[in-house]
Amino acid sequence: MSLDPARLTPMANAIRALSMDAVQAANSGHPGMPMGMADVATVLWSKYLKFDPKAPHWADRDRFVLSAGHGSMLIYSLLHLSGYAHPTMDEIANFRQLGSPCAGHPENFLLDGVEATTGPLGQGLAMAVGMAIAERHLNAEFGSDLVDHRTWIIAGDGCLMEGVNHEAIGLAGHLGLGRLIVLWDDNNITIDGSIELSTSEDIEARYRAAGWHTVRCDGHDYADIQSAIDEALADGRPSLVACKTIIGKGAPNKQGTSATHGAALGEAEVAAARETLGWEYPPFVVPDEILGHWRKTGERGADVRGKWEERLSASDKGAELSRRMAGDLPAGFSLADYIAKLYADPKKVATRKASEMALEVINGLLPETIGGSADLTGSNNTKTSQTHGMTVGDYSGRYVYYGIREFGMAAAMNGMALHGGVIPYGGTFLIFSDYCRNAIRMAALQEIRSIFVLTHDSIGLGEDGPTHQPVEQVMSLRLIPNLNVYRPADAVETAECWQLALKDKDTPSVLALTRQNLPQLRSEGDMLSARGGYRLRAARAGRKVVLVASGSEVELACAVADSLEGQGIGADVVSMPCTELFEAQDAAYKAGLLPADVLKVSIEAGVTHGWERYTGLDGLNIGLNRFGASAPAEALFEKFGFSADQIVPKILDKLNG
Amino acid sequence: MSLDPARLTPMANAIRALSMDAVQAANSGHPGMPMGMADVATVLWSKYLKFDPKAPHWADRDRFVLSAGHGSMLIYSLLHLSGYAHPTMDEIANFRQLGSPCAGHPENFLLDGVEATTGPLGQGLAMAVGMAIAERHLNAEFGSDLVDHRTWIIAGDGCLMEGVNHEAIGLAGHLGLGRLIVLWDDNNITIDGSIELSTSEDIEARYRAAGWHTVRCDGHDYADIQSAIDEALADGRPSLVACKTIIGKGAPNKQGTSATHGAALGEAEVAAARETLGWEYPPFVVPDEILGHWRKTGERGADVRGKWEERLSASDKGAELSRRMAGDLPAGFSLADYIAKLYADPKKVATRKASEMALEVINGLLPETIGGSADLTGSNNTKTSQTHGMTVGDYSGRYVYYGIREFGMAAAMNGMALHGGVIPYGGTFLIFSDYCRNAIRMAALQEIRSIFVLTHDSIGLGEDGPTHQPVEQVMSLRLIPNLNVYRPADAVETAECWQLALKDKDTPSVLALTRQNLPQLRSEGDMLSARGGYRLRAARAGRKVVLVASGSEVELACAVADSLEGQGIGADVVSMPCTELFEAQDAAYKAGLLPADVLKVSIEAGVTHGWERYTGLDGLNIGLNRFGASAPAEALFEKFGFSADQIVPKILDKLNG
């Protein structure tokens, strides 16, 4: 398609006009980036991006990620102009208003064509790395006839300054993801002003140090943009295209300054920009001729997609690829047989080891899993016999050595899940969920199936001490909406939790797993963990107490119950592997498990704040409301009160008090 | 001091022996790094490091940070050998046991000479950047006679791969912190194996891209180490000294492999290492001659310190420097006058603006504050008339433009607080506490006065949408031990919370502040926020309800109370700016505020999980247990049920139900 400026300039100006008008109407938003990157985006969508607005879920489409998500009007403009069903012009006119899919930042769950929710800086790029990994992996498995696409990113200075960028580009460079192209909006401006206020970095040199190809262009010169992208395409490495732009280009009095970054231009400046751009049309009107040019860009991909559909139909791998891209597990997937074996032959193992045992079965049944660890493979127990390392030479590997890059890992996992066709799981120590917490949140917000395997889940970690001992992490992860936090008590629950995590397409999961060995407490029952909490043991004497515990403390709760029962005090033990699933049960089930008229006692080796939800103001919460210490695990559990000998008297006091 | 190998080799081997023996005795720990870096550390401590074990708090000492904190036996060895009072040899022999200050990772609160708690990778280096900032700033103010020291870091590959490293070195390069020297343990090994599994980066090129000087040396050749450090000292930029080492050097069968990284060598290999090293002494015995050499290194600094003490005594700035280094506020520091003005002339402002107003007073009274923001200066309202930007040319500036580097900022703030002499505060959006969460935790663990100014603290942020709207952040920060989370309701509480945060030397603070304007609810009272929660309004009719709220929802609670009172239902309003301080009150105070016999209702625009602690199983919790949305704030509060019209019926249902 011709890149004649006479044709492209009005197309780019359509983006500028929609962006400044929508922000002005909302009196809120970021006009600077869309106006600055309009030319680059127009070239990309007109000539390079492989997409078909009529089939936004086409598996082999290029992925386009607006990592600088605050510039959301750029992608809303592109989607509308190129012919996606949404956003409509009305929806654009209602930018940032309740009910419009044109949210302040682009949300993957609101609009087709928004491949990732972006806004938290750096993560769009880091998720794109995961998309590119998924693409190469599926290409290795399904061949170039079926999987052969690129991942494009528009990123700003903010994305590049964030630490997660370092992790992401290090991973991409190491894995040689040559089909990844970052278009950097090199405009010298951040919110606080010139980038010179805060940075002196040679960004291109840094990217090259990470194994990337870099090239520069004038981001307002169509031919130069084209030649830079062509150079990027020709290079085997991932590419950074530094597009020198003027932020807010077209707004004559404000362009090139941070005044255009994050606020409406104002009526006068919008009018002046219309003049400057020669844009004579009212807000939210794009003349037919310009719209026609844009719609043609949206029609480029139809033929390519049609041929791809034919190849898919003809391929003996087509059905399998379609299944995977739909996110469906193979029919009948279940760990029931494995759990039956555990019932027959109980195992006393750490739940991290139990997780490995379950994964050995899962990875055999599900070819779509891709495991990994942030340099704790042997500790997280995330590698099984089916998963060899993914390398530049062999993308068929189902195991990613993420390096010491927790945030980059979690974001890349999210990108894989967003891409589809694979189910990512990855491990680190639970404490380092702190390092990737916002990516875990972004998995929840984006409603995707990322599975975080977080081991060493309490002071049971032992000698490494308080920097490595989670205390508040389990409870704090429970606070994230749409995230299932599993803390299984034994090998059986671990398998059940894995099955639940895998079957839930729209909710990410955390598996909090022990370093230390735990006895197998379950020898019967069918997927009891699906209820979130369940009665593991019923009181024998008259029930006066219900003990609620999770993970490694369920064993302790059983010991406490034994002691109480020995004194004639009946005590239920409720195992609570997942409070979120328990919350979803009906009121009768919950009241039956945690009745009003008995003393309810929670036991968990973490902060107690939050357990009052189940134990009430009259209950007793056994936990750890301080940082841990460095010592062997047994010594720590004893020191911090986690023994039946120390807990039982507290319960007796409560009962008698 | 001579760097004769005949003298240094046994000194370095003493480190190796103590390290392998202590890890062997604990059967847990990391011998590889101390054994690999023993030679480099011996050169550093013998010739370069400015320190005096007899005066570990000497203000002008060099700071030494073991960023690769898992190699803790390196610093324990160095402290013991060079003559610090602790650790004793007994304490070393009890490495990683309960009660020994020789914890798995070095803890600043357990041992003098441990300048920072390290272990969470990358953060030691990032904190060291803050130390170097504090040094240059105090140097600018107090002159080279009183403040003139260096910051040294030992870092491993893990530290360098973490994203926070990118942010930290970007900041250090930009600020030209030439007195910062990183000794990189370049051993090619991570936990998973060779670094080639996960990275292909040219680390030195990356550091140079960030404005650093780099130099290489053989980390086992004393002369080469010396010449590399000399080159680093001669260069005006911050320096990375790449020390090529063999991990676990001295363990003949395991050195150079990840087998030495994180596990005891085993008795046989320890014996073989003794042979290889020619170390004939039993565990935990260092012969007098070798110990004597080490003690001499510890005596190098005494003269220098003596002369410095003389200059301090002679200087008219000495008392002020001593006050600041002690962390004491000027006598009589108080915001009472400012608060009295608010009482006289109430202000309806956003609490972020109220924070700026308070800071304008604070920064006038306290010359030791250093503010900053992660590129949200105008949004966080962190800059006042007294604070101009810190630059390479002017370190006297009291404002750091941190750039889009939340984690790097928070860690640097911690480093400043650890250095002493300054009180750091820094801003970002509350949502991005997720990006720096572990640094906030590290402030709490290290018991330091970092003050995190986190604005846009709820859906009140409005149009930016769910990626930017905190929902679970306030509650999840409350779960971190030794962290005070303040969410003030108006300009008065904001000032009170600032005063409380500044006065607490050993506890970091979060100030969660609104974007939107709030009326001033208080017109009397003296530091009521110090109780954490207090009765803002007492029921007029017979009390049936207690409304507990924080921040922007206190205004709403007052409206709800008005409506209830209008129906003859008495309702207290409790403002709860800080649950942690409330928890510290006595039982009578707490029961008086939240009595057992009334309906307790919490109102907070965030997750409700955790409020049951105050409202019980029979209470009512008004909150937001899902992600937000993009719309103007008023529309969101209405949509999500935050209006008196929607809340009052729920309360009536409860009262009648």
Side-chain angles (χ1 to χ4, degrees):
Chain A
M1 205 162 275
S2 141
L3 292 183
D4 177 7
R7 186 165 159 280
L8 262 57
T9 301
M11 290 173 70
N13 285 344
I15 296 172
R16 294 190 169 96
L18 287 176
S19 298
M20 71 181 183
D21 288 334
V23 172
Q24 190 62 35
N27 195 25
S28 156
H30 300 76
M33 197 283 256
M35 296 178 79
M37 283 297 277
D39 297 316
V40 173
T42 300
V43 171
L44 174 63
W45 284 55
S46 296
K47 175 153 182 177
Y48 297 99
L49 191 73
K50 179 167 82 168
F51 72 114
D52 181 350
K54 307 296 175 229
H57 301 287
W58 173 23
D60 200 34
R61 71 192 182 277
D62 282 2
R63 284 3 182 225
F64 172 76
V65 176
L66 187 72
S67 190
H70 52 274
S72 54
M73 270 311 303
L74 179 63
I75 190 160
Y76 301 147
S77 301
L78 291 165
L79 295 177
H80 174 80
L81 292 168
S82 66
Y84 280 77
H86 294 277
T88 64
M89 194 61 96
D90 268 3
E91 289 166 342
I92 287 179
N94 279 300
F95 178 55
R96 290 180 159 237
Q97 305 309 305
L98 207 55
S100 170
C102 296
H105 292 82
E107 312 287 356
N108 70 307
F109 50 88
L110 293 180
L111 283 174
D112 285 337
V114 173
E115 304 285 359
T117 292
T118 52
L121 293 177
Q123 280 190 76
L125 197 155
M127 287 190 280
V129 169
M131 294 178 189
I133 290 173
E135 191 272 345
R136 281 296 87 186
H137 178 71
L138 292 170
N139 172 276
E141 193 158 358
F142 292 94
S144 297
D145 274 1
L146 297 184
V147 182
D148 183 19
H149 54 271
R150 299 184 185 280
T151 305
W152 304 86
I153 300 108
I154 288 184
D157 286 296
C159 290
L160 272 49
M161 285 176 81
E162 290 286 1
V164 68
N165 177 277
H166 167 55
E167 300 183 12
I169 71 166
L171 189 60
H174 180 66
L175 290 176
L177 302 172
R179 304 173 73 76
L180 187 70
I181 300 182
V182 174
L183 303 165
W184 166 33
D185 180 17
D186 179 17
N187 62 24
N188 286 78
I189 294 295
T190 71
I191 292 174
D192 275 358
S194 162
I195 57 165
E196 287 163 25
L197 282 172
S198 61
T199 188
S200 314
E201 184 190 338
D202 180 342
I203 289 175
E204 292 152 78
R206 174 165 65 89
Y207 269 71
R208 286 191 297 270
W212 285 55
H213 159 258
T214 68
V215 57
R216 297 198 63 80
C217 69
D218 175 344
H220 302 303
D221 178 326
Y222 299 116
D224 204 35
I225 297 165
Q226 182 181 1
S227 95
I229 293 179
D230 286 341
E231 182 182 318
L233 292 177
D235 198 282
R237 295 167 290 177
S239 285
L240 175 74
V241 181
C243 308
K244 183 51 82 180
T245 62
I246 299 166
I247 190 171
K249 182 168 168 62
N253 306 300
K254 294 190 172 181
Q255 67 180 18
T257 77
S258 61
T260 68
H261 171 83
L265 296 176
E267 294 294 353
E269 184 71 357
V270 166
R274 279 199 147 63
E275 189 92 8
T276 302
L277 297 171
W279 188 263
E280 304 164 348
Y281 322 103
F284 310 117
V285 171
V286 177
D288 286 345
E289 186 189 347
I290 300 174
L291 190 61
H293 290 322
W294 265 113
R295 292 289 149 93
K296 283 226 175 71
T297 70
E299 291 158 10
R300 283 192 302 113
D303 276 357
V304 181
R305 182 177 69 85
K307 286 178 187 136
W308 179 87
E309 300 277 6
E310 287 168 17
R311 292 196 299 275
L312 184 76
S313 301
S315 168
D316 56 359
K317 292 175 173 176
E320 175 67 3
L321 179 61
S322 297
R323 177 189 73 77
R324 291 202 204 169
M325 291 302 297
D328 297 327
L329 300 182
F333 167 76
S334 163
L335 296 176
D337 290 350
Y338 165 69
I339 291 172
K341 282 183 200 152
L342 290 174
Y343 286 159
D345 180 16
K347 302 290 183 197
K348 179 173 182 169
V349 292
T351 49
R352 63 180 170 134
K353 178 67 184 172
S355 170
E356 181 186 318
M357 290 157 53
L359 274 171
E360 183 69 31
V361 179
I362 290 162
N363 288 340
L365 296 172
L366 303 183
E368 58 263 50
T369 54
I370 296 188
S373 166
D375 197 45
L376 288 167
T377 295
S379 298
N380 301 142
N381 298 68
T382 35
K383 199 162 182 302
T384 68
S385 68
Q386 303 89 349
T387 57
H388 66 279
M390 185 184 293
T391 64
V392 174
D394 179 9
Y395 291 112
S396 76
R398 286 171 59 191
Y399 197 82
V400 180
Y401 289 100
Y402 286 103
I404 300 123
R405 303 181 179 110
E406 297 83 5
F407 199 1
M409 172 179 76
M413 287 167 57
N414 291 347
M416 291 183 210
L418 287 162
H419 180 282
V422 300
I423 300 176
Y425 70 87
T428 183
F429 286 159
L430 174 57
I431 194 76
F432 297 122
S433 64
D434 279 7
Y435 272 52
C436 55
R437 185 175 170 88
N438 199 260
I440 297 174
R441 184 184 210 257
M442 289 294 286
L445 177 59
Q446 295 181 97
E447 301 172 0
I448 53 177
R449 182 168 45 187
S450 298
I451 303 176
F452 303 99
V453 180
L454 303 177
T455 70
H456 297 60
D457 72 344
S458 76
I459 50 170
L461 170 143
E463 294 89 344
D464 273 349
T467 54
H468 283 54
Q469 289 162 354
V471 172
E472 74 280 21
Q473 277 68 21
V474 167
M475 189 61 78
S476 88
L477 289 166
R478 288 182 182 133
L479 303 181
I480 298 178
N482 192 40
L483 174 68
N484 286 336
V485 179
Y486 295 99
R487 190 166 186 255
D490 69 358
V492 172
E493 282 193 3
T494 303
E496 290 181 341
C497 293
W498 259 113
Q499 180 166 325
L500 291 164
L502 288 162
K503 288 201 169 181
D504 206 334
K505 276 192 212 185
D506 302 327
T507 300
S509 297
V510 160
L511 291 158
L513 304 171
T514 66
R515 176 189 185 206
Q516 73 274 25
N517 286 343
L518 300 178
Q520 186 174 318
L521 301 171
R522 280 266 302 282
S523 54
E524 58 179 14
D526 181 17
M527 283 300 293
L528 300 180
S529 300
R531 294 275 207 166
Y534 64 92
R535 188 174 296 121
L536 176 68
R537 285 169 51 169
R540 293 189 295 272
R543 181 175 65 190
K544 295 232 177 68
V545 176
V546 172
L547 301 158
V548 193
S550 81
S552 47
E553 284 69 65
V554 179
E555 174 190 10
L556 175 56
C558 290
V560 170
D562 285 344
S563 174
L564 291 171
E565 296 275 355
Q567 301 175 57
I569 298 166
D572 284 356
V573 175
V574 170
S575 180
M576 185 77 91
C578 180
T579 57
E580 293 84 1
L581 293 182
F582 179 69
E583 292 292 323
Q585 305 306 307
D586 62 35
Y589 179 82
K590 291 197 267 189
L593 216 58
L594 302 172
D597 58 346
V598 301
L599 173 65
K600 291 173 285 292
V601 180
S602 70
I603 312 179
E604 187 173 71
V607 294
T608 56
H609 198 159
W611 275 106
E612 296 88 354
R613 167 167 289 193
Y614 305 112
T615 58
L617 297 177
D618 303 320
L620 183 62
N621 300 303
I622 306 293
L624 184 62
N625 292 306
R626 51 156 286 174
F627 293 112
S630 172
E634 307 72 35
L636 293 174
F637 280 117
E638 184 65 27
K639 171 184 168 70
F640 292 121
F642 294 94
S643 71
D645 285 352
Q646 294 177 86
I647 294 170
V648 169
K650 290 180 184 165
I651 293 173
L652 297 177
D653 278 357
K654 267 280 178 187
L655 288 172
N656 302 328
Chain B
M1 202 161 274
S2 139
L3 293 182
D4 177 6
R7 185 165 160 280
L8 262 57
T9 300
M11 290 173 70
N13 285 343
I15 295 172
R16 293 190 170 97
L18 287 176
S19 299
M20 71 181 183
D21 287 336
V23 172
Q24 189 63 35
N27 195 26
S28 155
H30 301 77
M33 197 281 258
M35 297 178 79
M37 284 297 278
D39 297 315
V40 173
T42 301
V43 171
L44 173 64
W45 285 53
S46 295
K47 176 155 181 178
Y48 297 99
L49 191 73
K50 179 166 83 168
F51 72 114
D52 182 351
K54 307 295 176 228
H57 301 286
W58 175 22
D60 200 34
R61 70 191 182 279
D62 283 1
R63 297 328 192 248
F64 171 77
V65 177
L66 187 70
S67 190
H70 52 274
S72 55
M73 270 310 304
L74 179 63
I75 189 159
Y76 301 147
S77 302
L78 290 165
L79 295 175
H80 174 80
L81 293 167
S82 66
Y84 280 78
H86 295 276
T88 64
M89 195 60 96
D90 269 3
E91 290 166 341
I92 287 179
N94 279 299
F95 178 56
R96 289 181 159 237
Q97 305 308 304
L98 207 56
S100 170
C102 297
H105 292 82
E107 312 286 355
N108 69 308
F109 50 89
L110 293 180
L111 283 174
D112 284 338
V114 173
E115 304 285 359
T117 292
T118 52
L121 293 176
Q123 279 189 77
L125 197 155
M127 287 190 281
V129 170
M131 294 178 188
I133 290 173
E135 192 272 344
R136 281 296 88 186
H137 178 72
L138 293 170
N139 171 277
E141 192 159 1
F142 291 94
S144 297
D145 273 3
L146 297 183
V147 182
D148 184 19
H149 54 271
R150 298 184 186 282
T151 305
W152 305 85
I153 299 107
I154 288 184
D157 287 295
C159 291
L160 273 50
M161 284 176 83
E162 290 285 2
V164 68
N165 176 276
H166 167 55
E167 301 182 14
I169 71 166
L171 189 60
H174 179 67
L175 290 175
L177 301 173
R179 302 172 74 76
L180 187 70
I181 301 182
V182 174
L183 303 164
W184 165 33
D185 181 17
D186 179 15
N187 63 24
N188 286 77
I189 295 294
T190 72
I191 292 174
D192 275 356
S194 162
I195 56 163
E196 287 162 24
L197 282 172
S198 60
T199 188
S200 313
E201 185 189 337
D202 180 341
I203 288 176
E204 293 152 79
R206 173 164 66 91
Y207 270 71
R208 285 192 297 270
W212 285 55
H213 160 257
T214 68
V215 56
R216 297 198 64 78
C217 70
D218 176 343
H220 303 302
D221 177 327
Y222 300 115
D224 204 36
I225 297 166
Q226 181 180 0
S227 95
I229 293 179
D230 286 342
E231 183 182 317
L233 292 177
D235 198 283
R237 295 166 291 178
S239 285
L240 175 75
V241 181
C243 307
K244 182 53 78 181
T245 64
I246 297 165
I247 190 170
K249 183 169 166 61
N253 306 301
K254 293 190 172 181
Q255 68 181 17
T257 76
S258 61
T260 69
H261 171 85
L265 297 176
E267 294 293 352
E269 183 71 357
V270 167
R274 280 198 147 63
E275 188 92 7
T276 302
L277 298 170
W279 190 262
E280 303 164 349
Y281 322 104
F284 310 116
V285 170
V286 177
D288 286 346
E289 187 190 345
I290 299 173
L291 190 60
H293 291 319
W294 265 113
R295 291 290 149 93
K296 283 225 175 70
T297 69
E299 290 159 9
R300 284 190 301 114
D303 275 358
V304 181
R305 180 175 70 87
K307 285 176 187 136
W308 178 87
E309 300 277 5
E310 288 168 18
R311 293 196 300 275
L312 184 76
S313 301
S315 168
D316 56 0
K317 294 177 173 173
E320 175 66 5
L321 179 62
S322 297
R323 176 189 74 76
R324 291 202 205 169
M325 291 302 296
D328 297 328
L329 300 182
F333 166 76
S334 163
L335 296 177
D337 291 348
Y338 164 70
I339 291 172
K341 282 183 201 153
L342 288 175
Y343 287 158
D345 180 15
K347 302 290 185 198
K348 178 171 182 167
V349 292
T351 49
R352 63 181 170 133
K353 177 67 183 172
S355 171
E356 181 187 320
M357 291 157 53
L359 275 170
E360 183 69 32
V361 180
I362 291 162
N363 287 340
L365 296 172
L366 303 182
E368 58 264 51
T369 54
I370 296 188
S373 167
D375 197 46
L376 288 167
T377 295
S379 298
N380 301 143
N381 298 66
T382 36
K383 199 163 183 302
T384 68
S385 68
Q386 302 89 350
T387 57
H388 66 278
M390 184 183 294
T391 64
V392 174
D394 180 8
Y395 291 112
S396 76
R398 287 170 60 192
Y399 197 82
V400 181
Y401 288 101
Y402 286 104
I404 300 123
R405 304 181 179 108
E406 297 83 7
F407 199 3
M409 171 179 77
M413 288 167 57
N414 290 349
M416 292 183 207
L418 287 163
H419 180 281
V422 298
I423 301 176
Y425 69 87
T428 184
F429 286 158
L430 174 57
I431 194 75
F432 296 123
S433 64
D434 279 6
Y435 272 51
C436 54
R437 185 173 170 89
N438 199 262
I440 297 174
R441 183 183 210 256
M442 290 294 286
L445 177 60
Q446 294 181 98
E447 301 173 2
I448 54 178
R449 183 169 42 188
S450 298
I451 303 177
F452 303 99
V453 180
L454 303 177
T455 69
H456 297 60
D457 71 344
S458 75
I459 49 168
L461 170 143
E463 294 88 343
D464 273 350
T467 54
H468 283 55
Q469 289 163 353
V471 172
E472 73 280 19
Q473 277 69 22
V474 167
M475 189 60 78
S476 87
L477 289 165
R478 288 182 182 132
L479 303 182
I480 299 177
N482 192 42
L483 174 69
N484 286 336
V485 179
Y486 295 99
R487 189 165 187 256
D490 69 359
V492 172
E493 282 193 4
T494 302
E496 290 181 342
C497 293
W498 260 112
Q499 180 165 324
L500 291 164
L502 288 162
K503 289 201 168 179
D504 205 334
K505 277 192 211 184
D506 303 326
T507 299
S509 298
V510 160
L511 291 158
L513 304 172
T514 65
R515 176 190 186 205
Q516 73 274 27
N517 286 344
L518 300 178
Q520 186 173 320
L521 300 172
R522 281 266 302 282
S523 54
E524 58 178 16
D526 181 18
M527 282 301 292
L528 300 181
S529 300
R531 294 276 206 165
Y534 63 92
R535 188 174 295 119
L536 176 67
R537 286 169 50 170
R540 294 189 295 273
R543 181 175 64 190
K544 296 232 176 69
V545 176
V546 173
L547 301 159
V548 193
S550 82
S552 46
E553 285 68 65
V554 179
E555 174 191 11
L556 175 58
C558 290
V560 170
D562 285 344
S563 175
L564 291 171
E565 295 276 354
Q567 301 175 58
I569 299 165
D572 284 358
V573 175
V574 170
S575 181
M576 185 76 91
C578 181
T579 57
E580 294 84 1
L581 294 181
F582 179 70
E583 292 293 322
Q585 305 306 307
D586 62 33
Y589 179 82
K590 290 198 269 189
L593 218 57
L594 302 172
D597 58 346
V598 301
L599 173 65
K600 292 175 284 293
V601 179
S602 70
I603 312 180
E604 187 172 71
V607 293
T608 56
H609 198 160
W611 276 106
E612 295 88 354
R613 168 168 288 193
Y614 305 112
T615 58
L617 297 177
D618 303 321
L620 183 63
N621 300 303
I622 306 293
L624 183 63
N625 291 308
R626 51 156 287 176
F627 293 113
S630 172
E634 307 73 35
L636 293 173
F637 280 117
E638 183 65 28
K639 172 183 167 69
F640 292 124
F642 293 94
S643 71
D645 285 351
Q646 294 178 84
I647 294 170
V648 169
K650 290 180 183 164
I651 294 174
L652 297 177
D653 278 356
K654 267 280 177 189
L655 288 172
N656 302 328

